[in-house]
Amino acid sequence: MAYAREYVTFVEKVRTAEEATVPGSTELAEAVATYLYKLMAYKDEYEVARLVLDETFDASIWHEFGPDAAYRVKLHPPLLRAMGLKRKISFGAKARPMFRLLYAARRLRGSRLDVFGYHPVRRMERELVVQYRREVEELLPRLSPLTLAAAAKIASLPDMVRGYEQIKVQNLHRYREELTRLRDEFGESHRLDRLDTTASGSPDR
């Protein structure tokens, strides 16, 4: 619940700032709502367990193939991969108690007892949330009708960070390169906005 409140509080902060500077606009707030959620809801081991245990998942299988249908989930856990496992492991109905235990352990996420959290990709995912929020917060004081479009582009950049493990790491490099370019675009828009404001406030000669 605290994690969800943290998300809602931040989105509301952006919405309030946007309304104050660009009345009637929700472009930036909607981008932040979408992509902050994407970053905060990354698919770690606890989230995978939740998805596997989701009753609607079972219902969709049975609806499609009948109540006697059985299925197996194939996973390639990063921790085991780091230990040398080269292939995916199949998990059937007998593995559900393990997934229940794993899901119950989600409260350890991000703590020192989170054994999965020490994996480099998991650390990267957590750090990206912090970096994204800091990036958005730095935009808010300079938000204006002229800088809004560039700000929304920056807020939408996490859409580039797709895939799993190494693919995600590679996409993160592309994300950072594009972020640098968009920061420059936002800075130029802000500079033009200040020049226009100064010119508008100058006395007639």
Side-chain angles (χ1 to χ4, degrees):
M1 289 298 291
Y3 201 58
R5 284 195 297 271
E6 185 180 322
Y7 165 80
V8 171
T9 299
F10 190 81
V11 173
E12 178 60 21
K13 177 180 180 179
V14 175
R15 189 201 67 78
T16 300
E18 183 175 11
E19 178 62 28
T21 53
V22 192
S25 173
T26 60
E27 183 179 2
L28 179 60
E30 289 181 18
V32 171
T34 299
Y35 294 106
L36 179 58
Y37 175 83
K38 173 184 171 68
L39 293 177
M40 293 179 72
Y42 57 87
K43 299 297 188 294
D44 63 4
E45 287 73 10
Y46 307 109
E47 178 64 6
V48 168
R50 183 190 70 79
L51 294 172
V52 170
L53 295 172
D54 190 343
E55 294 181 358
T56 60
F57 180 71
D58 286 341
S60 65
I61 295 291
W62 295 331
H63 176 75
E64 183 76 18
F65 301 104
D68 296 326
Y71 63 87
R72 302 181 74 81
V73 178
K74 290 185 175 292
L75 300 173
H76 196 185
L79 192 61
L80 296 182
R81 186 185 307 132
M83 295 170 63
L85 183 69
K86 303 296 184 182
R87 59 181 178 79
K88 291 184 178 181
I89 304 175
S90 295
F91 296 94
K94 291 182 179 180
R96 291 185 75 83
M98 179 196 71
F99 284 115
R100 290 193 187 95
L101 181 62
L102 182 57
Y103 179 59
R106 68 192 183 281
R107 296 175 181 83
L108 301 177
R109 181 188 279 132
S111 73
R112 293 182 179 180
L113 298 178
D114 179 9
V115 295
F116 305 107
Y118 291 98
H119 190 277
V121 174
R122 296 290 171 259
R123 291 203 301 267
M124 179 198 78
E125 289 168 333
R126 293 197 304 272
E127 289 167 2
L128 191 54
V129 174
V130 176
Q131 292 166 4
Y132 177 80
R133 291 178 54 168
R134 184 168 60 241
E135 197 71 42
V136 170
E137 285 182 324
E138 289 177 358
L139 299 175
L140 299 183
R142 297 180 289 167
L143 194 61
S144 71
L146 197 59
T147 62
L148 177 63
K153 288 179 184 178
I154 290 174
S156 301
L157 269 182
D159 194 40
M160 298 178 64
V161 190
R162 298 171 178 266
Y164 293 94
E165 310 308 327
Q166 193 56 38
I167 295 175
K168 196 168 194 176
V169 172
Q170 292 170 357
N171 286 334
L172 181 61
H173 293 318
R174 294 176 50 242
Y175 163 87
R176 286 174 173 159
E177 290 173 357
E178 185 65 7
L179 177 58
T180 298
R181 187 187 71 80
L182 288 177
R183 278 175 180 159
D184 292 341
E185 181 180 317
F186 180 87
E188 179 62 15
S189 297
H190 179 60
R191 186 183 70 82
L192 293 174
D193 188 42
R194 291 186 65 185
L195 287 174
D196 183 60
T197 301
T198 302
S200 298
S202 299
D204 294 332
R205 294 185 178 180

